[in-house]
Amino acid sequence: GRAPQEAVGLAVGTAGSAVVFAGLTVVIALAGLAVVGVPMLTKMGLAAAGAVVVAVLIALTLVPAFLGFWPNAVLTRRARKGGQAEEQDTRNNGGTRWARFVLRRPLPVLLLGVAGLGTLALPAMDLQLGNPGDEAKPTSTTERRAYDALAEAFGPGFNGPLTIVVDAKGTAGAKSAVESVAQRIGGTEGVVSVSSPRFNKAGDTAVFQAVPSTAPTDEKTKDLVTSIRNDRPAIESRTGVTFAVTGTTAVDIDIAEKVQSALVPYLIVVVGLAVVLLLLVFRSLLVPLKAALGYLLSVLASLGVVVLVFQQGHGAELLGAEHTGPIMSLMPIFLVGIVFGLAMDYEVFLVSRMREAYVHGESPHQAVISGFRHSARVVVAAALIMVAVFAGFIGESDSMIKMIGFGLASAILFDAFVVRMAIVPAVLALLGHRAWWLPGRLDRLLPRVDVEGEALDQRPAAADPRSAGTTTGREVSRT
């Protein structure tokens, strides 16, 4: 019943606020990758965050502008021909029926959801990070056949030798000192052989390779690198030169350790900022905490199934994974960042309608039903789209792409359909009015963000003479 300009203004003033806050949560998750300290991740995160900012700006400016040119483009064909809006009764759709089911038995639904995700998360305790190489490719590829042939002829460590760089500047008898370093490293348990050192023209810097007895992604190779580095002070003090362990294998090990150590700080920063942002949106203390804990549960469950399949090998053949081993180093960071943004999107779209209904006088239970009535289908459709997109990666031959697709698809599946669709309404039902509680001092400190659009909802009704004596679409949605 609104004029096109008024309808667009109300939509941007209400749903547009949800878009802004949902976009900000994604930006926080992606820009937060800078915390990890890996330059490549920082660049990827900032570039992706910039794309999200552009998408939000398009939604708030370009879409309303297009509707100014074609005001009836969003209506159905029948509505455009008939010249009037088409009413639709959504009081008893699938979302309301599911919400009522959960509200009748919130405790069993909550316990079942938490227990199920918790069980799936258990394998994540054995997470081993690394960068799979040619050994993870299908046996049909030439790279994999070459890898297998070299491993069979020269041993598995031949595919991932360690590079030792010796700095002998200012040392008398540099060549003998370098030879001494090579002998000490060659005598380390787990080293099969060392190559002859190669010197620069000045004769004060040398490079040689140490071949491990185990494959590049083997945990024993990681222990070997650690052992050589631990022995470095003693070797350097005895020979008078300094050296460093590098090469592709050592770099992959270092990246895996750095990512693993940065995972918890990254989670703390991202989740902490998101909780603050959701405090502004929902003006509640428990709803943001519930959103963050639910997200952590879904991420850990998805990491658990990735470890179960790609590291431990359970069901790997069903996905076409011919080799099992360490999980790609950047996989947990990708999973945490991308799924966090999507999970908070679903939380904002679903719970903001519940809060809107609650602040307009509905009971806590009825507010949950109202939220599901209007937003459940949006969340389900969005989740199914993302699951379909990421599941398409599973068909790729590259094991890393396959792993990323499987992990992201399972994480979104868990978060959207277990956490947001089941655990969230169950928790809100058990908390009742307490779910929307905010301490008085915090309520005064936080700036007020009119996500519900109360100010906008009243002013157009008074300004539009056609709305006199009629019921607006927004009022219908509340009843």
Side-chain angles (χ1 to χ4, degrees):
R2 300 282 188 183
Q5 290 183 349
E6 289 290 347
V8 172
L10 282 173
V12 174
T14 53
S17 300
V19 171
V20 169
F21 281 98
L24 284 176
T25 59
V26 181
V27 169
I28 288 172
L30 295 173
L33 289 172
V35 175
V36 180
V38 178
M40 180 184 68
L41 275 180
T42 301
K43 294 175 184 177
M44 291 174 63
L46 293 178
V52 173
V53 171
V54 172
V56 171
L57 292 176
I58 287 174
L60 298 181
T61 59
L62 193 60
V63 172
F66 280 150
L67 290 175
F69 287 107
W70 301 284
N72 294 324
V74 295
L75 301 179
T76 63
R77 182 177 299 177
R78 192 170 81 175
R80 287 198 299 270
K81 288 182 178 179
Q84 58 183 4
E86 187 175 342
E87 294 184 2
Q88 184 179 5
D89 186 7
T90 59
R91 295 186 180 182
N92 292 309
N93 58 23
T96 59
R97 288 191 290 271
W98 172 253
R100 291 191 180 105
F101 171 82
V102 175
L103 293 176
R104 284 195 298 269
R105 46 188 70 82
L107 189 58
V109 170
L110 175 62
L111 293 177
L112 184 63
V114 172
L117 294 180
T119 302
L120 292 174
L122 289 177
M125 298 176 64
D126 298 326
L127 176 67
Q128 297 177 4
L129 297 181
N131 279 328
D134 292 338
E135 77 279 6
K137 295 182 178 180
T139 53
S140 58
T141 61
T142 56
E143 296 94 332
R144 173 64 184 274
R145 293 201 297 270
Y147 180 95
D148 291 342
L150 289 172
E152 183 178 355
F154 301 100
F158 191 82
N159 287 290
L162 305 176
T163 300
I164 314 298
V165 181
V166 184
D167 183 2
K169 292 185 179 71
T171 303
K175 290 189 177 181
S176 61
V178 171
E179 290 290 346
S180 177
V181 172
Q183 290 177 4
R184 289 288 300 269
I185 292 178
T188 303
E189 184 179 358
V191 175
V192 175
S193 63
V194 294
S195 64
S196 298
R198 292 178 295 165
F199 286 84
N200 64 343
K201 290 184 179 180
D204 57 6
T205 303
V207 176
F208 65 89
Q209 290 186 332
V211 179
S213 60
T214 50
T217 57
D218 197 301
E219 280 293 301
K220 292 182 179 178
T221 304
K222 177 181 175 181
D223 295 337
L224 173 62
V225 173
T226 304
S227 176
I228 293 175
R229 287 173 172 168
N230 289 339
D231 293 339
R232 182 165 50 190
I235 297 175
E236 289 178 346
S237 63
R238 182 173 181 178
T239 59
V241 298
T242 60
F243 71 91
V245 183
T246 183
T248 302
T249 300
V251 169
D252 288 344
I253 292 172
D254 293 341
I255 291 176
E257 290 182 347
K258 189 166 188 176
V259 169
Q260 197 156 8
S261 62
L263 192 57
V264 173
Y266 174 61
L267 275 172
I268 292 174
V269 170
V270 170
V271 174
L273 290 175
V275 167
V276 172
L277 197 64
L278 294 179
L279 272 173
L280 295 176
V281 178
F282 300 126
R283 304 197 71 79
S284 164
L285 195 61
L286 298 179
V287 169
L289 293 176
K290 174 262 307 170
L293 292 175
Y295 155 74
L296 291 175
L297 196 58
S298 60
V299 165
L300 290 175
S302 60
L303 273 178
V305 297
V306 168
V307 170
L308 197 67
V309 174
F310 291 92
Q311 183 176 307
Q312 299 178 358
H314 301 288
E317 65 280 355
L318 299 177
L319 300 179
E322 300 180 6
H323 177 84
T324 58
I327 305 303
M328 186 181 71
S329 300
L330 300 181
M331 175 67 192
I333 294 294
F334 284 147
L335 198 66
V336 167
I338 295 175
V339 175
F340 177 82
L342 294 172
M344 294 303 105
D345 277 0
Y346 303 153
E347 179 77 11
V348 170
F349 289 134
L350 186 63
V351 181
S352 62
R353 291 307 297 261
M354 298 180 189
R355 171 169 169 76
E356 182 177 355
Y358 179 78
V359 299
H360 284 94
E362 294 188 8
S363 66
H365 279 54
Q366 187 58 41
V368 172
I369 295 173
S370 297
F372 269 80
R373 177 187 302 138
H374 298 291
S375 300
R377 288 178 295 181
V378 176
V379 173
V380 169
L384 288 177
I385 290 171
M386 297 308 297
V387 168
V389 169
F390 291 128
F393 296 168
I394 299 176
E396 293 291 327
S397 58
D398 192 292
S399 64
M400 288 188 288
I401 297 178
K402 192 187 297 286
M403 184 188 302
I404 291 173
F406 177 78
L408 290 173
S410 60
I412 294 170
L413 198 67
F414 295 150
D415 193 88
F417 294 99
V418 180
V419 175
R420 309 303 155 191
M421 292 287 111
I423 293 179
V424 166
V427 171
L428 292 177
L430 292 172
L431 291 176
H433 290 284
R434 293 187 298 271
W436 308 105
W437 170 76
L438 186 68
R441 172 176 288 185
L442 189 59
D443 185 41
R444 290 188 294 272
L445 289 175
L446 292 177
R448 290 199 170 271
V449 181
D450 189 14
V451 178
E452 294 81 24
E454 285 186 278
L456 296 174
D457 199 33
Q458 297 171 5
R459 186 166 54 87
D464 189 356
R466 297 182 305 141
S467 65
T470 63
T471 303
T472 66
R474 199 166 174 78
E475 289 165 343
V476 170
S477 71
R478 290 185 191 147
T479 59

